[in-house]
Amino acid sequence: MSGFQHSVKVPTQYRKVAAILKTALENRQKSLKTLIYEEKHARIGSMQAVLKQYIDNRGAIDAAIEQTKILEENPRLSPALCRILVTELIFGRKTLNGESKPVQTVREYRDRLVEALGGEANATDSVATKKKDLKPRYVRVNTNLLSMEEADTMLAREEFRKKELPPFENYEDFLKAVQDLAEDEYMLDMHVDNLLIFNPKNKHYLACHQFTSERKFMLQDKGTCLVAELLRPPVGSTVLDMCAAPGMKTIHTCNVLQNQGTIYSVEQSPERYRILCNMTEAAGCKIVQPIKGDALTVTPEQCPGVEYILVDPSCTGSGIQNRLSLEPEEKCPERLKKLAGLQIKMLSYAMSTFPDVKRIAYSTCSLYEEENEQVVQKCLLLNPNFKLLSGKKALRNKWRNVGSSDYKKIGKNCIYTRPEDDLADGIFIAIFEKCSSNIGDE
């Protein structure tokens, strides 16, 4: 990266994040998330944290940089690096490491930057924190590498207290307990056995934790955890993950299977395939067989005996709260139509191609009916030998958000996690089961 010529190097974490931001601004073909995962040996969580702070406050940061003329007065300072350093100094950790020339320069401009942002109070009260952050930090224990008991022991050493609670009578009591977590407390989720929940103030600490970098801890939102939980393949089963990268659901499914059986994980993109392979290997998945190719061309001969299928296709991502995107998400009818067409094709392919399939989980990180209930409705018409299972019943009726009542018999059997209600990202899940007769979607 171009910048100051000086003897003291800019700290690696700043250089890497700035390089990602620069690439994302210049080349919109790759998402920020993809660029982060392509970084080898990177602290992914801390990179995401800084970039999200910049995205959440982008307008204010760019305006302050322009108003203070820091780039005009220091023409050899990289614009991307300047943005990252300003973000970290004003909205992030409030301090900068090292004594490199770019770091010293941004420090010198601190007071002028704060003034341009409207004063100390406004500068430190970012867009991200103006709204009360109710979403906790979810950490799924990767039981391939770490037992729940070992996780508890380590957390006790680090002076976390496990909040021991009796079984919850209802979902509302559980949500209240989550919101009441103290900063040094954590608790078990009521639906996912190996999911730990922490106070949101621990997000940065856990993102940078050694167990996270070693893949013993998986920073996975509750909504996405429910997919493998509801598919629930028995130990020893054969599973197909049709859209597998970066590998979070594959790893979770491997945990559900207790690392026994077979998981075929498909990914078409060469970069994302490499990420998938690296992630699953680091996570101790012994039963994963990665396949580089198009999920719509994978055959039963390549994946013999498939009984359970995960279908998590590309979608708008409208339900993701911490979406790393440089552009605001807008509901575009043309894009929705194109995505829905692909989603229908992929789900229908899963239903019609694999003769031994018993159950299929379809999920999106979208809140749009066009990608959810409408896709389910179309695929059931195309494949009448499948029925919908009730996601709410599978969660012991301790759930409240289901699909739209506009879709007869379909809506009530699908579930949503909704950010404002469930303290999680917005996720849609439908579980299909193959039936011997055409009994419909009861």
Side-chain angles (χ1 to χ4, degrees), residues 296-319:
L296 291 172
T297 64
V298 172
T299 66
E301 288 71 32
Q302 285 176 277
C303 312
V306 167
E307 303 164 284
Y308 297 85
I309 302 178
L310 287 159
V311 182
D312 181 30
S314 296
C315 70
T316 56
S318 58

mmCIF file with all atom_site columns, all heavy atoms in Angstrom, residues 296-319:
data_model
loop_
_atom_site.group_PDB
_atom_site.id
_atom_site.type_symbol
_atom_site.label_atom_id
_atom_site.label_alt_id
_atom_site.label_comp_id
_atom_site.label_asym_id
_atom_site.label_entity_id
_atom_site.label_seq_id
_atom_site.pdbx_PDB_ins_code
_atom_site.Cartn_x
_atom_site.Cartn_y
_atom_site.Cartn_z
_atom_site.occupancy
_atom_site.B_iso_or_equiv
_atom_site.pdbx_formal_charge
_atom_site.auth_seq_id
_atom_site.auth_comp_id
_atom_site.auth_asym_id
_atom_site.auth_atom_id
_atom_site.pdbx_PDB_model_num
ATOM 1   N N   . LEU A 1 296 ? -25.797 -27.152 -8.467  1.00 0.00 ? 296 LEU A N   1
ATOM 2   C CA  . LEU A 1 296 ? -26.857 -27.587 -9.377  1.00 0.00 ? 296 LEU A CA  1
ATOM 3   C C   . LEU A 1 296 ? -26.404 -28.653 -10.364 1.00 0.00 ? 296 LEU A C   1
ATOM 4   O O   . LEU A 1 296 ? -27.189 -29.125 -11.189 1.00 0.00 ? 296 LEU A O   1
ATOM 5   C CB  . LEU A 1 296 ? -27.419 -26.385 -10.140 1.00 0.00 ? 296 LEU A CB  1
ATOM 6   C CG  . LEU A 1 296 ? -28.216 -25.393 -9.277  1.00 0.00 ? 296 LEU A CG  1
ATOM 7   C CD1 . LEU A 1 296 ? -28.556 -24.137 -10.075 1.00 0.00 ? 296 LEU A CD1 1
ATOM 8   C CD2 . LEU A 1 296 ? -29.491 -26.045 -8.749  1.00 0.00 ? 296 LEU A CD2 1
ATOM 9   N N   . THR A 1 297 ? -25.124 -29.025 -10.284 1.00 0.00 ? 297 THR A N   1
ATOM 10  C CA  . THR A 1 297 ? -24.625 -30.105 -11.144 1.00 0.00 ? 297 THR A CA  1
ATOM 11  C C   . THR A 1 297 ? -24.108 -31.285 -10.323 1.00 0.00 ? 297 THR A C   1
ATOM 12  O O   . THR A 1 297 ? -23.666 -32.282 -10.891 1.00 0.00 ? 297 THR A O   1
ATOM 13  C CB  . THR A 1 297 ? -23.495 -29.595 -12.065 1.00 0.00 ? 297 THR A CB  1
ATOM 14  O OG1 . THR A 1 297 ? -22.378 -29.186 -11.261 1.00 0.00 ? 297 THR A OG1 1
ATOM 15  C CG2 . THR A 1 297 ? -23.957 -28.421 -12.918 1.00 0.00 ? 297 THR A CG2 1
ATOM 16  N N   . VAL A 1 298 ? -24.159 -31.174 -9.004  1.00 0.00 ? 298 VAL A N   1
ATOM 17  C CA  . VAL A 1 298 ? -23.707 -32.277 -8.152  1.00 0.00 ? 298 VAL A CA  1
ATOM 18  C C   . VAL A 1 298 ? -24.702 -33.427 -8.269  1.00 0.00 ? 298 VAL A C   1
ATOM 19  O O   . VAL A 1 298 ? -25.917 -33.228 -8.196  1.00 0.00 ? 298 VAL A O   1
ATOM 20  C CB  . VAL A 1 298 ? -23.585 -31.815 -6.681  1.00 0.00 ? 298 VAL A CB  1
ATOM 21  C CG1 . VAL A 1 298 ? -23.317 -32.996 -5.773  1.00 0.00 ? 298 VAL A CG1 1
ATOM 22  C CG2 . VAL A 1 298 ? -22.468 -30.802 -6.548  1.00 0.00 ? 298 VAL A CG2 1
ATOM 23  N N   . THR A 1 299 ? -24.175 -34.642 -8.443  1.00 0.00 ? 299 THR A N   1
ATOM 24  C CA  . THR A 1 299 ? -25.033 -35.802 -8.697  1.00 0.00 ? 299 THR A CA  1
ATOM 25  C C   . THR A 1 299 ? -25.040 -36.768 -7.509  1.00 0.00 ? 299 THR A C   1
ATOM 26  O O   . THR A 1 299 ? -24.128 -36.745 -6.668  1.00 0.00 ? 299 THR A O   1
ATOM 27  C CB  . THR A 1 299 ? -24.533 -36.563 -9.932  1.00 0.00 ? 299 THR A CB  1
ATOM 28  O OG1 . THR A 1 299 ? -23.237 -37.114 -9.638  1.00 0.00 ? 299 THR A OG1 1
ATOM 29  C CG2 . THR A 1 299 ? -24.440 -35.645 -11.149 1.00 0.00 ? 299 THR A CG2 1
ATOM 30  N N   . PRO A 1 300 ? -26.032 -37.653 -7.443  1.00 0.00 ? 300 PRO A N   1
ATOM 31  C CA  . PRO A 1 300 ? -26.056 -38.686 -6.402  1.00 0.00 ? 300 PRO A CA  1
ATOM 32  C C   . PRO A 1 300 ? -24.838 -39.612 -6.479  1.00 0.00 ? 300 PRO A C   1
ATOM 33  O O   . PRO A 1 300 ? -24.445 -40.204 -5.468  1.00 0.00 ? 300 PRO A O   1
ATOM 34  C CB  . PRO A 1 300 ? -27.353 -39.447 -6.689  1.00 0.00 ? 300 PRO A CB  1
ATOM 35  C CG  . PRO A 1 300 ? -28.208 -38.483 -7.438  1.00 0.00 ? 300 PRO A CG  1
ATOM 36  C CD  . PRO A 1 300 ? -27.265 -37.667 -8.257  1.00 0.00 ? 300 PRO A CD  1
ATOM 37  N N   . GLU A 1 301 ? -24.257 -39.727 -7.674  1.00 0.00 ? 301 GLU A N   1
ATOM 38  C CA  . GLU A 1 301 ? -23.054 -40.561 -7.810  1.00 0.00 ? 301 GLU A CA  1
ATOM 39  C C   . GLU A 1 301 ? -21.866 -39.916 -7.093  1.00 0.00 ? 301 GLU A C   1
ATOM 40  O O   . GLU A 1 301 ? -21.025 -40.608 -6.509  1.00 0.00 ? 301 GLU A O   1
ATOM 41  C CB  . GLU A 1 301 ? -22.723 -40.769 -9.293  1.00 0.00 ? 301 GLU A CB  1
ATOM 42  C CG  . GLU A 1 301 ? -23.677 -41.691 -10.038 1.00 0.00 ? 301 GLU A CG  1
ATOM 43  C CD  . GLU A 1 301 ? -25.055 -41.070 -10.272 1.00 0.00 ? 301 GLU A CD  1
ATOM 44  O OE1 . GLU A 1 301 ? -25.126 -39.828 -10.439 1.00 0.00 ? 301 GLU A OE1 1
ATOM 45  O OE2 . GLU A 1 301 ? -26.039 -41.829 -10.268 1.00 0.00 ? 301 GLU A OE2 1
ATOM 46  N N   . GLN A 1 302 ? -21.791 -38.591 -7.140  1.00 0.00 ? 302 GLN A N   1
ATOM 47  C CA  . GLN A 1 302 ? -20.719 -37.876 -6.427  1.00 0.00 ? 302 GLN A CA  1
ATOM 48  C C   . GLN A 1 302 ? -20.947 -37.887 -4.918  1.00 0.00 ? 302 GLN A C   1
ATOM 49  O O   . GLN A 1 302 ? -19.986 -37.856 -4.151  1.00 0.00 ? 302 GLN A O   1
ATOM 50  C CB  . GLN A 1 302 ? -20.660 -36.412 -6.888  1.00 0.00 ? 302 GLN A CB  1
ATOM 51  C CG  . GLN A 1 302 ? -20.054 -36.195 -8.260  1.00 0.00 ? 302 GLN A CG  1
ATOM 52  C CD  . GLN A 1 302 ? -20.144 -34.728 -8.630  1.00 0.00 ? 302 GLN A CD  1
ATOM 53  O OE1 . GLN A 1 302 ? -21.172 -34.257 -9.117  1.00 0.00 ? 302 GLN A OE1 1
ATOM 54  N NE2 . GLN A 1 302 ? -19.079 -34.003 -8.401  1.00 0.00 ? 302 GLN A NE2 1
ATOM 55  N N   . CYS A 1 303 ? -22.209 -37.899 -4.517  1.00 0.00 ? 303 CYS A N   1
ATOM 56  C CA  . CYS A 1 303 ? -22.573 -37.837 -3.096  1.00 0.00 ? 303 CYS A CA  1
ATOM 57  C C   . CYS A 1 303 ? -23.519 -38.996 -2.772  1.00 0.00 ? 303 CYS A C   1
ATOM 58  O O   . CYS A 1 303 ? -24.716 -38.784 -2.559  1.00 0.00 ? 303 CYS A O   1
ATOM 59  C CB  . CYS A 1 303 ? -23.252 -36.505 -2.770  1.00 0.00 ? 303 CYS A CB  1
ATOM 60  S SG  . CYS A 1 303 ? -22.418 -35.060 -3.383  1.00 0.00 ? 303 CYS A SG  1
ATOM 61  N N   . PRO A 1 304 ? -23.020 -40.209 -2.749  1.00 0.00 ? 304 PRO A N   1
ATOM 62  C CA  . PRO A 1 304 ? -23.906 -41.360 -2.553  1.00 0.00 ? 304 PRO A CA  1
ATOM 63  C C   . PRO A 1 304 ? -24.544 -41.384 -1.164  1.00 0.00 ? 304 PRO A C   1
ATOM 64  O O   . PRO A 1 304 ? -23.921 -41.027 -0.170  1.00 0.00 ? 304 PRO A O   1
ATOM 65  C CB  . PRO A 1 304 ? -22.969 -42.563 -2.745  1.00 0.00 ? 304 PRO A CB  1
ATOM 66  C CG  . PRO A 1 304 ? -21.592 -42.033 -2.510  1.00 0.00 ? 304 PRO A CG  1
ATOM 67  C CD  . PRO A 1 304 ? -21.611 -40.608 -2.943  1.00 0.00 ? 304 PRO A CD  1
ATOM 68  N N   . GLY A 1 305 ? -25.819 -41.771 -1.156  1.00 0.00 ? 305 GLY A N   1
ATOM 69  C CA  . GLY A 1 305 ? -26.508 -42.006 0.112   1.00 0.00 ? 305 GLY A CA  1
ATOM 70  C C   . GLY A 1 305 ? -26.922 -40.767 0.873   1.00 0.00 ? 305 GLY A C   1
ATOM 71  O O   . GLY A 1 305 ? -27.177 -40.843 2.087   1.00 0.00 ? 305 GLY A O   1
ATOM 72  N N   . VAL A 1 306 ? -27.036 -39.617 0.215   1.00 0.00 ? 306 VAL A N   1
ATOM 73  C CA  . VAL A 1 306 ? -27.409 -38.380 0.917   1.00 0.00 ? 306 VAL A CA  1
ATOM 74  C C   . VAL A 1 306 ? -28.797 -38.513 1.527   1.00 0.00 ? 306 VAL A C   1
ATOM 75  O O   . VAL A 1 306 ? -29.773 -38.819 0.840   1.00 0.00 ? 306 VAL A O   1
ATOM 76  C CB  . VAL A 1 306 ? -27.358 -37.163 -0.038  1.00 0.00 ? 306 VAL A CB  1
ATOM 77  C CG1 . VAL A 1 306 ? -28.041 -35.959 0.585   1.00 0.00 ? 306 VAL A CG1 1
ATOM 78  C CG2 . VAL A 1 306 ? -25.918 -36.821 -0.385  1.00 0.00 ? 306 VAL A CG2 1
ATOM 79  N N   . GLU A 1 307 ? -28.882 -38.267 2.836   1.00 0.00 ? 307 GLU A N   1
ATOM 80  C CA  . GLU A 1 307 ? -30.153 -38.373 3.563   1.00 0.00 ? 307 GLU A CA  1
ATOM 81  C C   . GLU A 1 307 ? -30.682 -37.021 4.043   1.00 0.00 ? 307 GLU A C   1
ATOM 82  O O   . GLU A 1 307 ? -31.889 -36.832 4.212   1.00 0.00 ? 307 GLU A O   1
ATOM 83  C CB  . GLU A 1 307 ? -29.969 -39.269 4.791   1.00 0.00 ? 307 GLU A CB  1
ATOM 84  C CG  . GLU A 1 307 ? -29.453 -40.669 4.478   1.00 0.00 ? 307 GLU A CG  1
ATOM 85  C CD  . GLU A 1 307 ? -28.924 -41.339 5.727   1.00 0.00 ? 307 GLU A CD  1
ATOM 86  O OE1 . GLU A 1 307 ? -27.805 -40.989 6.168   1.00 0.00 ? 307 GLU A OE1 1
ATOM 87  O OE2 . GLU A 1 307 ? -29.645 -42.188 6.278   1.00 0.00 ? 307 GLU A OE2 1
ATOM 88  N N   . TYR A 1 308 ? -29.769 -36.095 4.295   1.00 0.00 ? 308 TYR A N   1
ATOM 89  C CA  . TYR A 1 308 ? -30.138 -34.787 4.846   1.00 0.00 ? 308 TYR A CA  1
ATOM 90  C C   . TYR A 1 308 ? -29.417 -33.720 4.035   1.00 0.00 ? 308 TYR A C   1
ATOM 91  O O   . TYR A 1 308 ? -28.237 -33.862 3.700   1.00 0.00 ? 308 TYR A O   1
ATOM 92  C CB  . TYR A 1 308 ? -29.757 -34.692 6.327   1.00 0.00 ? 308 TYR A CB  1
ATOM 93  C CG  . TYR A 1 308 ? -30.494 -35.700 7.174   1.00 0.00 ? 308 TYR A CG  1
ATOM 94  C CD1 . TYR A 1 308 ? -30.007 -37.002 7.310   1.00 0.00 ? 308 TYR A CD1 1
ATOM 95  C CD2 . TYR A 1 308 ? -31.690 -35.364 7.804   1.00 0.00 ? 308 TYR A CD2 1
ATOM 96  C CE1 . TYR A 1 308 ? -30.704 -37.943 8.055   1.00 0.00 ? 308 TYR A CE1 1
ATOM 97  C CE2 . TYR A 1 308 ? -32.389 -36.302 8.550   1.00 0.00 ? 308 TYR A CE2 1
ATOM 98  C CZ  . TYR A 1 308 ? -31.886 -37.589 8.672   1.00 0.00 ? 308 TYR A CZ  1
ATOM 99  O OH  . TYR A 1 308 ? -32.581 -38.519 9.398   1.00 0.00 ? 308 TYR A OH  1
ATOM 100 N N   . ILE A 1 309 ? -30.138 -32.624 3.726   1.00 0.00 ? 309 ILE A N   1
ATOM 101 C CA  . ILE A 1 309 ? -29.564 -31.584 2.865   1.00 0.00 ? 309 ILE A CA  1
ATOM 102 C C   . ILE A 1 309 ? -29.779 -30.205 3.491   1.00 0.00 ? 309 ILE A C   1
ATOM 103 O O   . ILE A 1 309 ? -30.867 -29.889 3.970   1.00 0.00 ? 309 ILE A O   1
ATOM 104 C CB  . ILE A 1 309 ? -30.188 -31.609 1.450   1.00 0.00 ? 309 ILE A CB  1
ATOM 105 C CG1 . ILE A 1 309 ? -29.987 -32.986 0.804   1.00 0.00 ? 309 ILE A CG1 1
ATOM 106 C CG2 . ILE A 1 309 ? -29.570 -30.522 0.574   1.00 0.00 ? 309 ILE A CG2 1
ATOM 107 C CD1 . ILE A 1 309 ? -30.612 -33.117 -0.585  1.00 0.00 ? 309 ILE A CD1 1
ATOM 108 N N   . LEU A 1 310 ? -28.730 -29.394 3.455   1.00 0.00 ? 310 LEU A N   1
ATOM 109 C CA  . LEU A 1 310 ? -28.786 -27.983 3.835   1.00 0.00 ? 310 LEU A CA  1
ATOM 110 C C   . LEU A 1 310 ? -28.794 -27.152 2.559   1.00 0.00 ? 310 LEU A C   1
ATOM 111 O O   . LEU A 1 310 ? -27.894 -27.288 1.726   1.00 0.00 ? 310 LEU A O   1
ATOM 112 C CB  . LEU A 1 310 ? -27.563 -27.601 4.662   1.00 0.00 ? 310 LEU A CB  1
ATOM 113 C CG  . LEU A 1 310 ? -27.475 -28.092 6.100   1.00 0.00 ? 310 LEU A CG  1
ATOM 114 C CD1 . LEU A 1 310 ? -26.027 -28.059 6.565   1.00 0.00 ? 310 LEU A CD1 1
ATOM 115 C CD2 . LEU A 1 310 ? -28.314 -27.225 7.011   1.00 0.00 ? 310 LEU A CD2 1
ATOM 116 N N   . VAL A 1 311 ? -29.805 -26.298 2.402   1.00 0.00 ? 311 VAL A N   1
ATOM 117 C CA  . VAL A 1 311 ? -29.868 -25.389 1.258   1.00 0.00 ? 311 VAL A CA  1
ATOM 118 C C   . VAL A 1 311 ? -29.905 -23.965 1.811   1.00 0.00 ? 311 VAL A C   1
ATOM 119 O O   . VAL A 1 311 ? -30.906 -23.527 2.360   1.00 0.00 ? 311 VAL A O   1
ATOM 120 C CB  . VAL A 1 311 ? -31.115 -25.662 0.393   1.00 0.00 ? 311 VAL A CB  1
ATOM 121 C CG1 . VAL A 1 311 ? -31.118 -24.735 -0.822  1.00 0.00 ? 311 VAL A CG1 1
ATOM 122 C CG2 . VAL A 1 311 ? -31.176 -27.117 -0.047  1.00 0.00 ? 311 VAL A CG2 1
ATOM 123 N N   . ASP A 1 312 ? -28.789 -23.272 1.678   1.00 0.00 ? 312 ASP A N   1
ATOM 124 C CA  . ASP A 1 312 ? -28.654 -21.911 2.201   1.00 0.00 ? 312 ASP A CA  1
ATOM 125 C C   . ASP A 1 312 ? -28.119 -21.030 1.065   1.00 0.00 ? 312 ASP A C   1
ATOM 126 O O   . ASP A 1 312 ? -26.953 -20.638 1.063   1.00 0.00 ? 312 ASP A O   1
ATOM 127 C CB  . ASP A 1 312 ? -27.687 -21.921 3.399   1.00 0.00 ? 312 ASP A CB  1
ATOM 128 C CG  . ASP A 1 312 ? -27.507 -20.544 4.005   1.00 0.00 ? 312 ASP A CG  1
ATOM 129 O OD1 . ASP A 1 312 ? -28.445 -19.741 3.933   1.00 0.00 ? 312 ASP A OD1 1
ATOM 130 O OD2 . ASP A 1 312 ? -26.405 -20.273 4.530   1.00 0.00 ? 312 ASP A OD2 1
ATOM 131 N N   . PRO A 1 313 ? -28.957 -20.721 0.068   1.00 0.00 ? 313 PRO A N   1
ATOM 132 C CA  . PRO A 1 313 ? -28.479 -20.069 -1.150  1.00 0.00 ? 313 PRO A CA  1
ATOM 133 C C   . PRO A 1 313 ? -28.204 -18.580 -0.963  1.00 0.00 ? 313 PRO A C   1
ATOM 134 O O   . PRO A 1 313 ? -28.538 -17.987 0.066   1.00 0.00 ? 313 PRO A O   1
ATOM 135 C CB  . PRO A 1 313 ? -29.643 -20.278 -2.118  1.00 0.00 ? 313 PRO A CB  1
ATOM 136 C CG  . PRO A 1 313 ? -30.844 -20.313 -1.230  1.00 0.00 ? 313 PRO A CG  1
ATOM 137 C CD  . PRO A 1 313 ? -30.404 -20.952 0.058   1.00 0.00 ? 313 PRO A CD  1
ATOM 138 N N   . SER A 1 314 ? -27.624 -17.989 -1.981  1.00 0.00 ? 314 SER A N   1
ATOM 139 C CA  . SER A 1 314 ? -27.405 -16.538 -1.984  1.00 0.00 ? 314 SER A CA  1
ATOM 140 C C   . SER A 1 314 ? -28.736 -15.827 -1.807  1.00 0.00 ? 314 SER A C   1
ATOM 141 O O   . SER A 1 314 ? -29.762 -16.251 -2.344  1.00 0.00 ? 314 SER A O   1
ATOM 142 C CB  . SER A 1 314 ? -26.784 -16.104 -3.315  1.00 0.00 ? 314 SER A CB  1
ATOM 143 O OG  . SER A 1 314 ? -25.510 -16.673 -3.476  1.00 0.00 ? 314 SER A OG  1
ATOM 144 N N   . CYS A 1 315 ? -28.706 -14.745 -1.020  1.00 0.00 ? 315 CYS A N   1
ATOM 145 C CA  . CYS A 1 315 ? -29.933 -13.977 -0.781  1.00 0.00 ? 315 CYS A CA  1
ATOM 146 C C   . CYS A 1 315 ? -29.560 -12.512 -0.565  1.00 0.00 ? 315 CYS A C   1
ATOM 147 O O   . CYS A 1 315 ? -28.378 -12.158 -0.593  1.00 0.00 ? 315 CYS A O   1
ATOM 148 C CB  . CYS A 1 315 ? -30.694 -14.538 0.427   1.00 0.00 ? 315 CYS A CB  1
ATOM 149 S SG  . CYS A 1 315 ? -29.876 -14.257 2.014   1.00 0.00 ? 315 CYS A SG  1
ATOM 150 N N   . THR A 1 316 ? -30.552 -11.692 -0.325  1.00 0.00 ? 316 THR A N   1
ATOM 151 C CA  . THR A 1 316 ? -30.288 -10.260 -0.147  1.00 0.00 ? 316 THR A CA  1
ATOM 152 C C   . THR A 1 316 ? -29.536 -9.962  1.147   1.00 0.00 ? 316 THR A C   1
ATOM 153 O O   . THR A 1 316 ? -28.882 -8.933  1.263   1.00 0.00 ? 316 THR A O   1
ATOM 154 C CB  . THR A 1 316 ? -31.599 -9.463  -0.117  1.00 0.00 ? 316 THR A CB  1
ATOM 155 O OG1 . THR A 1 316 ? -32.440 -9.992  0.910   1.00 0.00 ? 316 THR A OG1 1
ATOM 156 C CG2 . THR A 1 316 ? -32.315 -9.526  -1.454  1.00 0.00 ? 316 THR A CG2 1
ATOM 157 N N   . GLY A 1 317 ? -29.646 -10.854 2.142   1.00 0.00 ? 317 GLY A N   1
ATOM 158 C CA  . GLY A 1 317 ? -29.017 -10.586 3.439   1.00 0.00 ? 317 GLY A CA  1
ATOM 159 C C   . GLY A 1 317 ? -29.716 -9.491  4.216   1.00 0.00 ? 317 GLY A C   1
ATOM 160 O O   . GLY A 1 317 ? -29.125 -8.889  5.114   1.00 0.00 ? 317 GLY A O   1
ATOM 161 N N   . SER A 1 318 ? -30.996 -9.261  3.914   1.00 0.00 ? 318 SER A N   1
ATOM 162 C CA  . SER A 1 318 ? -31.705 -8.149  4.545   1.00 0.00 ? 318 SER A CA  1
ATOM 163 C C   . SER A 1 318 ? -31.902 -8.325  6.045   1.00 0.00 ? 318 SER A C   1
ATOM 164 O O   . SER A 1 318 ? -32.239 -7.366  6.741   1.00 0.00 ? 318 SER A O   1
ATOM 165 C CB  . SER A 1 318 ? -33.068 -7.946  3.875   1.00 0.00 ? 318 SER A CB  1
ATOM 166 O OG  . SER A 1 318 ? -33.847 -9.127  3.956   1.00 0.00 ? 318 SER A OG  1
ATOM 167 N N   . GLY A 1 319 ? -31.703 -9.526  6.566   1.00 0.00 ? 319 GLY A N   1
ATOM 168 C CA  . GLY A 1 319 ? -31.893 -9.754  7.989   1.00 0.00 ? 319 GLY A CA  1
ATOM 169 C C   . GLY A 1 319 ? -30.649 -9.609  8.837   1.00 0.00 ? 319 GLY A C   1
ATOM 170 O O   . GLY A 1 319 ? -30.719 -9.661  10.067  1.00 0.00 ? 319 GLY A O   1
#
